[in-house]
Amino acid sequence: MKVIIDWLASCGGCDVSILDLGVKILDVIKEFEIVYWPVALDFKKEDLKALEKADIAIVNGAVRTSEQEEQLKLIRDKVDVLIAYGSCACFGGIPGLGNQFSSEEILKRAYVETPSTTEGKIPQEVTKMDGFELTLPKFLDKVRALDDVVEVDYYVPGCPPSTSTIEEMVDLMLKLKKGEKPEKKVLASDKSLCYDCPRFKSLVRPPTVNRPHEIVADQEKCFLEQGIICLGFVTRGGCGARCIKANMPCRGCYGKVPNAFDFGTEAITAIAMAGTGEDYLPPMRITEAVDKIKDVVGLIYQFSLPKSRLGDLK
Amino acid sequence: MIKMSVGVIICTCGNTLNDKIDIDKLVDFAKSLEDVSIVKRVELLCKDYKQVAQELKGKIDRLLFVGCSERSSLTFNEDKIAQILEEIGLDRAMFEVANIREQCAWVHEDRDGATRKALDQLMMAYVKLRSNRPTGDPIKLEKRVLVVGGGVAGMQCAIDLAKAGIEVVLVEKKPYLGGHTAQIPLLFQCEGWSSMCTSECIVPVIARETTFNDKIKVITNAEVKDVEKVNGNFSVTIEQEPQFVDPNKCVSCGKCAEVCPIEVPNQFDLGFSKRKAIDKDFSLAIPDTYNILEEYCNKCGECVKVCPTNAINLDAKPIQHTYTFGAVVIATGFSRFDLNRIAELNYAHPDVVTSLEFERLLTKGFKRPSDGKTPESLVFVLCSGSRSENGVPYCSKICCSVIMKLANRITTLFPETEVAVVYKDIRTPGKLEDFYKMVERKGVEFIKGEVDEITSDNGRLKVAVFKEDGGEEEIEADMVVLAEALVPAEVQLLKKFGVVTDKFGFPIEFQPRVINPNETYVDRVFVVGAAKGPEIVQNSVESGSAVAMRIVEILKDGEKKLQKFVSYVNKDLCSKCGICASMCPHDAIKMEEDGAKVDSAFCRGCGLCMSVCPNHAIQLINFEDKQLLDQAEVAFKHAKEGEPRILALLCYWCSYAAADLMGMKGIKLPPNFRTIRIRCSSSVNAGTLLEILKKVDGVLIAGCPPKNCHHGWGNYVTAKRVKLMNEAMKQLGINPDRLRWEFIGVAMWGPLAKAIKEMTERLRS
């Protein structure tokens, strides 16, 4: 079976994560022929175009530029099964946070306004120089997840996906090789991370909101009940609670639980529980616990802003 | 799908609504709706509802009432609707109301606009009604009540319940009944003059009545160990200390105490007298039996040898009693603030005593503890620990009166004693003021100020006072009595029952507290007497009686009919995050191996659990997300184009009533808004709010004012939710005016109208 691995708007971590398979990667190589993997070997778009057909594509990264869009469509045409790999491919990921701003604002910020820039210049799609015409792909208005551009068959969430999730993907690929078509579209748990979380819960409302640097988190107790915002309750499990075990709260890279309407707003619903003893506060200070959150969108849509139904309201 | 049969009653309120609404249009529209089998137009349903009910009997399975407000109508509110449903024989959940009077005809002037709105309101109620369902069979309640605490309040409650035929188990920590009352020789009687009665009469009378009643099982030396809520009842394990002396055999002859070699301080007298390891705490104690203090007894067996009735068994073991109860009364009284925590009061000094200690001391004569001499001067210090930075901030309510009573006694019996009172304010409420006036007349010196410190020098105490007028004064005294603050006694016990307390540990009563006194946030858990807050004996007895009456009513049928709104969990969707349980103010949810579980008899249908579940695993029957979205979908089907479409989600109690009062009070608004009577303002999940925002231009969500939420913190959580939503909307370039939160109490019809107007104007531009 022929496999394409490609990256779009991505940090490269997803490609590296495949190596987390360790020795199991040898099985992958035994069973599958990797015909295109630009991160690992020097492939060019022409090589992709030249490919007649492949079976499976594993694509990480979101779609930000015209080139990425073209690349993705090209891949879709070549393969039977497209796997969105990583949070960017599944939900837009960290680059998706760019959707708070227009493309002009982003380019201006990056190439002109940053403190380290002097006499900045915004890159143009076409630049004429010394009689030559230099071209760049178009910087599109919005970041999109893969399924907003083409049809996606399977989703492997995570930033990056954890080793167990990648192993699950290998199992999926082996099944596909046998001609099966597994129904489970998202390679993560249908339960939230809380279902797997080893921490102790007292079943109390969070007394306040503590930013992670403000307190030393108790390693045994539920983060949320300590006032540290952990989004495990709205996030699919399946990651193996990696962050939780490293005493870091969940930020939601596995995406929303299946029945939630929207990641961010559902997150708000429970975050708003924080802050007790309001009866003793003057009315003006009732919301003070949540007022400590400096960047609401950055918190609730860290990995999924392009998929935000709130964003759709605009 | 099973075919349903909807009956629609459209009431014109004596044809007064016709001016504002085209009723014929409403009738025709109702007739055009699927599954509507009867449309009845009536003039005054409130006057002849029984006849109408008879006509509908057997013909319909759900009722849609189009007319006045089910919340605020003075003649036909939801209580009346419940009666009509009963007459027809329908489940209490199978109705909806389209409020076309208070919130339509009365608040709009434009007939066309009001008619359009009325059509939408009818449609909204109709789509919801179609998906309503019965909440289930009644839950069987055990006709047995647990009373924790054998003081006067608990005893009175038990007596009144037993007299009404209800079985009671009364648990008392101490070996005797009577609580603190038994330690107070003279009790206030609230007449028009200073009057007192003695506990040496009162306590045996009430304790005999308690113990002689076959319906009351008194378990002394016992505590509540475990509480589990099972199928709407309380399964409680009570642990009783070993009963070394069998109360059925003991004749209180006292021979055992005579031979007992061990003498220890008697805690009944707060250490001012001695008792034996086997003894009776005080002669009038009931049950009339001796008891052994296990921690002091060396099991020498001398008492066993002399007991004439073989009542003593030194090998007795603790006993566990487990019962199921339908209701619980917490009557655990108060605890005394530990005055050692305020060093400047010098409580460690033997001649500095608390007011209750002074009560006990006086029964042994007016002698100071250090040397047994009768004091020639005495200083009372009010607010010792109360209203204090080092103690508790609240007023302990009864201490001023208690000190006046004691000062009065000293000045009467020992007129030569110099008595001074250091006070911040004198608070002798109601008729107790007479005690204060009497003490004033007797020439007691009153010094307004705060104690700086109490020191001792050669057997004399010196009380240094910062006076309110700025000066300082030092008073010498042979003895000082501190009016100690009163604090909650059994915070852990309240926790076991899931009762919400204030920050001091006193239980918070169920809102509106004004008409739900003594009721906690947990269904059928009541608090009486000083367990609720400092209280005098007479009022404590009164609350015991009052609660008994409430419980008799609740348990009379031996079952609880479930209300229209009850939460349930779809365990397939539940991830056991427990957020629902931590949000529930009524302790109705517990976490089980396979997910959250709602005990529906404890559920008050507020919807707080449902709103915090990110996976929508927990839903409120008859107020499901989908029902709300269905209503929003049709809310503006008949509205004119061009005006902002505002949907107001108003909380069941305060805010919806305020919207009714807008109409009643004559406020006029444009007909561009629709209302939905939601459960608590916090019953709507933020994801659902967002989905509603996709269907309308603006959402106004309103709930009870601060400190008044019927579900503890629902209004606060919603205020925060909307704040966060607004922040996110701003960041994403969405007009935050589209979602607005307001604290709206019943009497805030004006601010509600203002909010709707403002929203309309802002969304217009």
Side-chain angles (χ1 to χ4, degrees), chain B residues 12-212:
Chain B
T12 61
C13 198
N15 286 322
T16 58
L17 302 184
N18 308 24
D19 297 347
K20 288 290 175 59
I21 295 168
D22 185 342
I23 301 288
D24 294 338
K25 235 182 191 170
L26 278 190
V27 172
D28 291 344
F29 180 63
K31 281 180 181 165
S32 75
L33 296 169
E34 197 186 343
D35 295 331
V36 169
S37 50
I38 298 174
V39 178
K40 247 189 119 33
R41 175 177 173 153
V42 296
E43 284 183 15
L44 282 172
L45 186 61
C46 50
K47 302 292 183 249
D48 57 0
Y49 72 96
K50 287 200 173 168
Q51 191 199 325
V52 174
Q54 284 308 314
E55 288 171 33
L56 295 176
K57 204 167 193 169
K59 294 179 187 150
I60 59 166
D61 58 19
R62 29 211 83 218
L63 175 69
L64 172 52
F65 172 58
V66 185
C68 53
S69 167
E70 87 267 31
R71 166 70 175 86
S72 308
S73 171
L74 300 178
T75 50
F76 201 77
N77 77 329
E78 54 204 336
D79 304 331
K80 256 303 176 22
I81 294 172
Q83 285 178 20
I84 201 171
L85 289 168
E86 202 150 300
E87 294 269 339
I88 303 175
L90 292 184
D91 185 275
R92 64 192 57 220
M94 306 310 268
F95 84 94
E96 285 299 325
V97 173
N99 172 358
I100 61 161
R101 192 177 75 166
E102 286 85 348
Q103 295 192 27
C104 189
W106 286 4
V107 78
H108 301 308
E109 286 181 310
D110 152 31
R111 189 167 193 260
D112 176 51
T115 303
R116 287 165 180 272
K117 180 169 172 179
L119 290 167
D120 283 338
Q121 285 178 300
L122 194 158
M123 190 63 185
M124 287 157 77
Y126 168 77
V127 294
K128 170 145 193 287
L129 179 61
R130 284 177 67 90
S131 48
N132 277 10
R133 57 188 165 111
T135 38
D137 295 332
I139 307 287
K140 200 181 165 307
L141 295 184
E142 210 54 59
K143 278 182 125 172
R144 187 186 295 121
V145 177
L146 169 68
V147 176
V148 191
V152 286
M155 283 194 283
Q156 188 61 50
C157 188
I159 291 166
D160 288 355
L161 284 166
K163 280 181 179 167
I166 291 176
E167 201 184 311
V168 178
V169 174
L170 190 151
V171 176
E172 171 55 51
K173 205 185 213 173
K174 296 202 182 80
Y176 57 88
L177 296 172
H180 281 117
T181 305
Q183 292 171 292
I184 305 167
L186 293 168
L187 309 170
F188 298 117
Q189 299 193 107
C190 295
E191 286 137 3
W193 57 88
S194 52
S195 157
M196 288 180 289
C197 190
T198 170
S199 62
E200 293 193 301
C201 168
I202 298 298
V203 170
V205 166
I206 191 170
R208 270 197 304 260
E209 211 178 338
T210 306
T211 50
F212 290 0

Side-chain angles (χ1 to χ4, degrees), chain B residues 415-599:
Chain B
E416 67 285 0
T417 319
E418 282 177 42
V419 179
V421 176
V422 179
Y423 72 104
K424 290 179 192 165
D425 294 291
I426 301 288
R427 295 178 173 177
T428 45
K431 295 164 181 175
L432 297 173
E433 177 78 358
D434 205 35
F435 284 90
Y436 172 37
K437 289 288 166 232
M438 210 153 60
V439 174
E440 255 189 339
R441 281 197 299 273
K442 286 186 173 167
V444 167
E445 188 186 0
F446 282 85
I447 302 146
K448 192 169 169 90
E450 277 187 61
V451 169
D452 173 24
E453 60 174 347
I454 298 172
T455 51
S456 60
D457 185 21
N458 287 332
R460 290 281 282 173
L461 289 161
K462 285 178 183 171
V463 183
V465 182
F466 285 129
K467 289 167 69 176
E468 202 200 29
D469 61 17
E472 285 177 36
E473 185 172 338
E474 194 172 82
I475 321 156
E476 289 206 359
D478 291 333
M479 201 174 165
V480 171
V481 177
L482 305 172
E484 62 202 318
L486 306 184
V487 294
E490 297 285 346
V491 180
Q492 287 311 315
L493 178 76
L494 292 170
K495 281 210 175 119
K496 281 180 186 164
F497 284 100
V499 168
V500 181
T501 62
D502 63 16
K503 66 178 175 186
F504 312 111
F506 288 116
I508 299 178
E509 290 155 295
F510 188 46
Q511 181 70 13
R513 310 183 224 295
V514 175
I515 52 172
N516 294 317
N518 307 100
E519 194 172 339
T520 69
Y521 267 80
V522 179
D523 199 62
R524 288 166 283 122
V525 175
F526 296 87
V527 277
V528 297
K532 172 179 145 174
E535 193 50 276
I536 63 168
V537 172
Q538 189 175 350
N539 294 354
S540 297
V541 172
E542 189 178 308
S543 69
S545 273
V547 161
M549 193 61 216
R550 299 280 298 278
I551 294 176
V552 167
E553 202 276 325
I554 290 167
L555 296 184
K556 70 176 190 298
D557 298 329
E559 62 176 30
K560 179 176 175 173
K561 286 186 185 131
L562 293 181
Q563 46 171 18
K564 183 175 176 181
F565 307 98
V566 171
S567 282
Y568 73 97
V569 179
N570 177 345
K571 289 198 173 176
D572 290 339
L573 298 178
C574 174
S575 296
K576 298 202 289 183
C577 66
I579 290 179
C580 52
S582 51
M583 186 68 169
C584 178
H586 308 298
D587 202 47
I589 304 176
K590 60 182 166 191
M591 301 308 294
E592 294 188 338
E593 199 45 49
D594 56 346
K597 185 175 181 222
V598 178
D599 193 327

